[in-house]
Amino acid sequence: MNYQYWNSELETMPRPALEALQLNRLKEAVGWALRTSFYRERLGKAGIGSPDDIKSLADLRRIPYTTKQDLRDGFPYGFLSIPREEVVRLHASSGTTGVPTTIYFNRDDIKRWTDNVARCIYGTGCNSADVFQNMINYGLFTGGLGFHAGGEEVGMLVIPSGAGNTTRQFRLMQDFGTTVVHATPSFLLHVEARMREEGVSRESIKLRKAFAGAEPYSEDTRRRIEALLHIDVYNSYGLSEMNGPGVAFECQAKNGLHLWEDRYIGEIIDPDTLEPAPEGETGELVLTCLCREATPILRYRTRDLSSFYTGVCPCGRTHRRLRRITGRTDDMLIINGVNVFPSQIEEVVMSMKEVGNNYLIVVEKEGVLDRLTVKVEVGPDIFMDDTRPLNALRDKIRSTIQASITINPRVELHEGGSLPVSEGKAKRVIDNRPKDI
Ligand code: AMP
Ligand code: ZN
């Protein structure tokens, strides 16, 4: 394979040089952070009063963690480190887990962020010949404007279609010859199902690639989208606290997401002990942003669960790769005392050919016990009035989920296209249990 680099010097930089660059940039970021009263106090307590107190990358561990709660407590301007007049943009996290948090950018911050996203896009083999349809929410959410700017930087024709409007999405693809899209994986599956329903042939669109992110999805879901649409799907990871998209992205080897270590420092910790996780083991990802002056954030506890690959990537990039994010520490459901991650259920349902493109997890109280119901759409080859294959499929899903998570779920089969679809991040879990028990 012919791998293409947006900036070969930075992307293939030998580790010692990369780490020297990280150290310089960490000192710079600590300097930015020390302009806020929050970090002056936090870092001061840790004996860090100036960037020169950071002498090696090992000193990173002297910096206390920053949490989502810290950011909320600092709302709205507590983490702003430059005069308000120098800020050119703000974004906010989608607030899926509560009150949103705000991130500010100056002109240089936007340039660096745009360069990060361009690097990701270009690394998947895109160029100015591509037509890029950005099927994601434009607004406070970073995925819209972030990918838009990155796409333009690469020189692609960018169609700011935004999320939703499913029928209009594939009409735009047909009219303008879209070759690349960006969307949540759940929306991609929804678009594909709708195309089939409306009889839109694959030949009438020129799609080659998709960037899918903003929510967790399994390897089987990726393969399913790739097979249904005959495209390559690249995993895109980011979070607004670290600018948004462009934090970590798959290259053409599609085996792990390169974390751009010239712009971020990544650590994996044990979320209970807060100590570094053993090499290669799964834990909570902690990120330090080296590329945003207006809102510096150091050692941010993302709550996202991942681990680093240990080997080198065939693409030649030296930046370490993260494994697909399987979920968040706060995603975990406790069902009758058993810990369950929604991703474990997704892995089962999306691996079955007979299953359609959508599913939903519902947890309720039934007497004193918790009851797990998995609602699954069936694929187009299964007829809802033919009970025998339906019963067989229901049994197969039930027993495979039970084998994976030890809990025996109730499985409901639904017609394709009948379960709710969200325009933003998919809402996969409905927990109806009373909160006070
Ligand atoms: P936001 O700050 O609203 O953009 O949300 C960021 C969060 O979305 C991350 O912390 C992850 O939990 C989730 N997320 C984003 N991209 C991915 C991805 N590729 N895989 C899994 N989760 C993701
Ligand atoms: Zn690679």
Side-chain angles (χ1 to χ4, degrees):
M1 171 134 6
N2 232 345
Y3 295 105
Q4 66 179 30
Y5 309 118
W6 180 245
N7 183 327
S8 60
E9 190 194 333
L10 281 174
E11 291 171 54
T12 63
M13 190 175 261
R15 294 293 307 179
L18 185 54
E19 284 165 19
L21 181 65
Q22 279 189 316
L23 176 59
N24 280 336
R25 291 191 173 168
L26 175 62
K27 289 171 117 170
E28 191 179 25
V30 165
W32 295 334
L34 283 168
R35 295 190 209 139
T36 67
S37 55
F38 172 85
Y39 278 118
R40 254 197 318 280
E41 196 196 323
R42 278 283 171 95
L43 295 175
K45 276 190 195 147
I48 302 166
S50 117
D52 292 333
D53 292 326
I54 302 290
K55 300 206 167 14
S56 73
L57 279 183
D59 283 336
L60 178 72
R61 290 195 52 201
R62 291 173 52 204
I63 298 176
Y65 297 116
T66 302
T67 62
K68 185 98 179 169
Q69 191 56 46
D70 292 327
L71 298 183
R72 284 186 185 142
D73 293 346
F75 182 85
Y77 285 122
F79 282 77
L80 181 62
S81 78
I82 58 170
R84 230 290 288 120
E85 294 67 25
E86 289 171 27
V87 176
V88 297
R89 172 112 56 94
L90 71 76
H91 277 286
S93 79
S94 45
T96 32
T97 57
V99 191
T101 50
T102 324
I103 303 298
Y104 304 93
F105 299 80
N106 67 18
R107 271 180 217 286
D108 286 339
D109 296 337
I110 296 273
K111 279 191 199 138
R112 286 185 282 255
W113 176 27
T114 300
D115 185 70
N116 284 354
V117 181
R119 185 192 288 182
C120 300
I121 294 174
Y122 194 75
T124 66
C126 292
N127 58 42
S128 58
D130 281 296
V131 177
F132 173 47
Q133 194 166 319
N134 197 15
M135 308 198 293
I136 210 126
N137 174 14
Y138 278 66
L140 289 177
F141 176 59
T142 52
L145 287 173
F147 261 96
H148 187 101
E152 286 187 351
E153 186 71 10
V154 168
M156 307 193 288
L157 192 176
V158 185
I159 308 176
S161 64
N165 273 314
T166 318
T167 305
R168 189 157 154 252
Q169 298 286 3
F170 49 76
R171 296 274 176 265
L172 286 170
M173 289 184 205
Q174 289 173 315
D175 289 345
F176 299 107
T178 301
T179 55
V180 189
V181 291
H182 168 224
T184 58
S186 49
F187 190 62
L188 282 171
L189 284 168
H190 178 63
V191 169
E192 190 279 328
R194 183 67 72 77
M195 279 173 64
R196 237 181 310 130
E197 253 169 58
E198 297 200 13
V200 176
S201 76
R202 175 62 184 87
E203 289 66 45
S204 70
I205 59 166
K206 296 205 174 94
L207 201 61
R208 290 192 296 130
K209 291 187 182 60
F211 311 131
E215 63 190 24
Y217 59 114
S218 65
E219 190 58 40
D220 277 315
T221 301
R222 180 232 294 269
R223 285 205 208 101
R224 174 182 285 256
I225 302 170
E226 291 191 322
L228 287 169
L229 284 167
H230 311 284
I231 57 173
D232 280 310
V233 173
Y234 294 92
N235 196 349
S236 156
Y237 170 75
L239 58 161
S240 48
E241 293 82 356
M242 295 290 129
N243 287 348
V247 176
F249 216 86
E250 282 182 323
C251 67
Q252 283 170 301
K254 287 203 273 189
N255 188 18
L257 298 88
H258 288 283
L259 172 71
W260 300 124
E261 293 182 281
D262 55 325
R263 300 248 162 88
Y264 302 94
I265 302 182
E267 304 166 79
I268 301 285
I269 64 165
D270 177 326
D272 297 322
T273 64
L274 306 187
E275 290 298 316
E279 200 180 312
E281 277 189 24
T282 301
E284 179 178 350
L285 177 63
V286 170
L287 290 171
T288 295
C289 189
L290 304 177
C291 57
R292 196 184 49 230
E293 178 175 7
T295 328
I297 298 185
L298 309 174
R299 294 196 94 199
Y300 180 64
R301 289 189 58 186
T302 65
R303 306 190 207 179
D304 291 324
L305 294 168
S306 183
S307 57
F308 279 111
Y309 280 92
T310 43
V312 289
C313 186
C315 77
R317 290 179 178 84
T318 48
H319 301 238
R320 286 182 300 165
R321 285 163 302 152
L322 287 168
R323 285 199 174 75
R324 173 182 292 287
I325 280 90
T326 48
R328 299 168 55 84
T329 50
D330 45 9
D331 253 1
M332 193 182 74
L333 294 162
I334 303 182
I335 302 174
N336 293 327
V338 178
N339 297 349
V340 176
F341 280 99
S343 59
Q344 293 175 291
I345 295 173
E346 166 156 342
E347 264 164 35
V348 171
V349 293
M350 284 295 148
S351 67
M352 293 183 188
K353 283 196 306 295
E354 310 89 314
V355 165
N357 286 358
N358 203 357
Y359 71 94
L360 188 66
I361 298 166
V362 181
V363 195
E364 288 151 321
K365 265 280 174 233
E366 222 173 57
V368 292
L369 289 179
D370 297 329
R371 168 50 95 174
L372 168 68
T373 305
V374 183
K375 303 185 179 202
V376 181
E377 285 186 7
V378 297
D381 303 333
I382 298 217
F383 295 100
M384 289 309 284
D385 41 14
D386 199 351
T387 48
R388 229 183 317 147
L390 282 182
N391 287 339
L393 176 59
R394 197 179 294 117
D395 273 354
K396 180 166 134 186
I397 298 174
R398 196 193 46 69
S399 59
T400 322
I401 291 178
Q402 187 175 18
S404 162
I405 62 173
T406 74
I407 291 168
N408 187 7
R410 186 184 284 157
V411 174
E412 279 178 17
L413 298 181
H414 292 257
E415 210 162 334
S418 63
L419 291 176
V421 183
S422 150
E423 276 195 8
K425 293 169 194 266
K427 187 154 176 41
R428 297 291 196 197
V429 180
I430 298 182
D431 193 338
N432 286 330
R433 290 174 293 185
K435 292 281 169 290
D436 53 340
I437 291 185

